[in-house]
Amino acid sequence: MDRRPTIADVAKLAGVSRSAVSFALNDRPGLAQETRRRILAAAAELGWRPSRPAQALSRGKAGALGLVLARETDLIGADPFFPAFIAGVESVLSRRGDALVLHVTDPADEAATYRRLAVDRRVDGVLLTDLRVDDRRPALMAELGLPAVVVGDPEGAQGLCAVSLDDRPAFAAAVRELAALGHRRIAHVAGPQEFRHARRRREAWEQAMRAAGLEPGPVLPGGFTAEGGANATLELLARGADRPTAVVYANDLSATAGLAVAQRQGFTVPGDLSVVGYDDTPLAAYTHPPLASARADAQGWGAAAARALDEVITAGRADHVELAPAELRMRGSMGQAPEAPSGAASSTH
């Protein structure tokens, strides 16, 4: 057959009514054993499989979870966190044939997107990522009656279940190790400060600097992007004798760009500049030199978030889930502080 077989096709081959097929395939009583056997044999011969949408509709469920990302499409494609996170979610959903409904939208249309998902009953619940300071989405989910799980710290969850991973120990460890290597000017290239996790990472860096007896600074915005990391690094390296000898970036994407820019400007890594990222993406171990980073299991995070949302949908609530904290992975991009920072290679300045 050139199309997917239907219940009508099974009924025709078995020589019975469609209602009899429905009874047999749903294991309902009222059919003779021989009739049931003939129907099941016909279904097997045709390769009939149950329709997930139809099953979900019969259960009053959509058979899908939702994820709305209010970021630019090209930025999502470049950020390695989201593919890994989505793979984790799919590892849970694919086992039962459910789907992930992904919407990439403009921040101005974000609330309307959630409203459409709720009104059209396209999803059974949603995962809220990129939690912002004073985020309005938890309250909106309560208003819409849409089950939700926050992917982030419980402090911003506003009563919703939160699946969190503490990134602060990794930033503290990065500063502590750099200070032990003799670094005194350790800069931070930060993520967007409207995001709670970007602000938390900056605060962890500041606290670690003070704990090491160092004055925090400088801090430049990097936006979690390669372009932002490159621009911030160029600005830091242009400070001459006052430039930092180490930079802790808010994610691997900005750190990888910063590492490449530093080398193009004639600085050696880690001889002149130590570089530390966050996320420990697969590429981190293959840069030159290998990028020191913090291991955060994005795929495991996605799977845990999906399981928590399942529990919220089924039971109405779920306890907060705290995953193992991120751990610093020291690699070749970290080294001893230079005795006296050089301005840059004379050929480039």
Side-chain angles (χ1 to χ4, degrees), residues 3-88:
R3 58 179 176 80
R4 178 174 176 165
T6 66
I7 284 182
D9 297 322
V10 176
K12 182 177 180 180
L13 181 60
V16 297
S17 67
R18 293 175 61 178
S19 61
V21 173
S22 179
F23 270 59
L25 297 179
N26 289 290
D27 199 25
R28 294 169 60 186
L31 286 178
Q33 284 299 112
E34 173 58 26
T35 303
R36 186 184 303 277
R37 184 200 61 76
R38 192 165 71 250
I39 292 170
L40 295 178
E45 181 179 338
L46 293 172
W48 179 89
R49 293 291 183 273
S51 165
R52 291 294 302 175
Q55 285 188 328
L57 184 63
S58 69
R59 299 194 306 265
K61 296 179 65 178
L65 304 183
L67 177 62
V68 178
L69 301 178
R71 290 197 188 190
E72 294 181 26
T73 306
D74 56 343
L75 296 183
I76 293 172
D79 189 339
F81 172 82
F82 284 107
F85 178 82
I86 290 170

Side-chain angles (χ1 to χ4, degrees), residues 4 8 21 33 38 43 61 93 108 120 139 146 158 163 170 181 188 200 211 219 226 238 245 273 281 316 332 342:
R4 178 174 176 165
V21 173
Q33 284 299 112
R38 192 165 71 250
K61 296 179 65 178
L93 300 185
D120 296 343
L146 190 59
Q158 301 176 39
V163 180
L181 290 167
H188 179 52
R200 187 175 61 247
V219 179
T245 61
L273 183 73
T281 56
S342 61

Side-chain angles (χ1 to χ4, degrees), residues 109-182:
D109 299 325
E110 186 178 35
T113 301
Y114 285 111
R115 292 185 185 278
R116 285 195 299 271
L117 288 175
V119 170
D120 296 343
R121 298 184 179 180
R122 294 186 58 194
V123 298
D124 299 312
V126 293
L127 299 166
L128 304 181
T129 62
D130 283 341
L131 204 65
R132 307 179 192 98
V133 178
D134 299 324
D135 204 309
R136 298 179 180 180
R137 287 176 296 168
L140 177 61
M141 299 308 106
E143 175 192 331
L144 297 174
L146 190 59
V149 161
V150 165
V151 181
D153 66 286
E155 291 180 7
Q158 301 176 39
L160 296 179
C161 168
V163 180
S164 61
L165 186 155
D166 194 352
D167 44 22
R168 292 171 296 186
F171 282 86
V175 172
R176 186 170 59 248
E177 294 294 342
L178 288 168
L181 290 167

Side-chain angles (χ1 to χ4, degrees), residues 93-330:
L93 300 185
S94 62
R95 296 189 188 119
R96 59 179 188 252
D98 283 356
L100 177 67
V101 176
L102 174 65
H103 278 282
V104 180
T105 185
D106 186 275
D109 299 325
E110 186 178 35
T113 301
Y114 285 111
R115 292 185 185 278
R116 285 195 299 271
L117 288 175
V119 170
D120 296 343
R121 298 184 179 180
R122 294 186 58 194
V123 298
D124 299 312
V126 293
L127 299 166
L128 304 181
T129 62
D130 283 341
L131 204 65
R132 307 179 192 98
V133 178
D134 299 324
D135 204 309
R136 298 179 180 180
R137 287 176 296 168
L140 177 61
M141 299 308 106
E143 175 192 331
L144 297 174
L146 190 59
V149 161
V150 165
V151 181
D153 66 286
E155 291 180 7
Q158 301 176 39
L160 296 179
C161 168
V163 180
S164 61
L165 186 155
D166 194 352
D167 44 22
R168 292 171 296 186
F171 282 86
V175 172
R176 186 170 59 248
E177 294 294 342
L178 288 168
L181 290 167
H183 294 274
R184 294 297 175 262
R185 289 188 294 278
I186 305 172
H188 179 52
V189 174
Q193 292 301 287
E194 66 266 27
F195 293 149
R196 291 182 63 91
H197 58 292
R199 186 172 293 195
R200 187 175 61 247
R201 292 174 190 181
R202 174 175 174 169
E203 291 172 350
W205 165 82
E206 289 178 349
Q207 291 169 4
M209 290 288 285
R210 297 191 190 282
L214 304 175
E215 185 64 28
V219 179
L220 290 179
F224 286 152
T225 68
E227 182 180 9
N231 291 338
T233 305
L234 283 171
E235 184 175 338
L236 289 170
L237 295 178
R239 299 187 176 203
D242 291 329
R243 70 169 180 82
T245 61
V247 184
V248 177
Y249 295 78
N251 73 347
D252 278 0
L253 191 59
S254 57
T256 302
L259 186 153
V261 162
Q263 292 173 329
R264 283 203 300 267
Q265 293 296 307
F267 294 90
T268 62
V269 178
D272 295 319
L273 183 73
S274 286
V275 173
V276 182
Y278 181 89
D279 280 331
D280 194 30
T281 56
L283 181 62
Y286 297 97
T287 59
H288 180 71
L291 178 66
S293 187
R295 173 66 173 161
D297 184 7
Q299 187 167 338
W301 205 347
R307 289 192 293 267
L309 184 52
D310 280 346
E311 186 174 347
V312 171
I313 293 168
T314 302
R317 65 170 303 279
D319 294 331
H320 295 316
V321 178
E322 186 173 351
L323 305 177
E327 294 183 358
L328 178 66
R329 301 291 176 90
M330 295 181 64

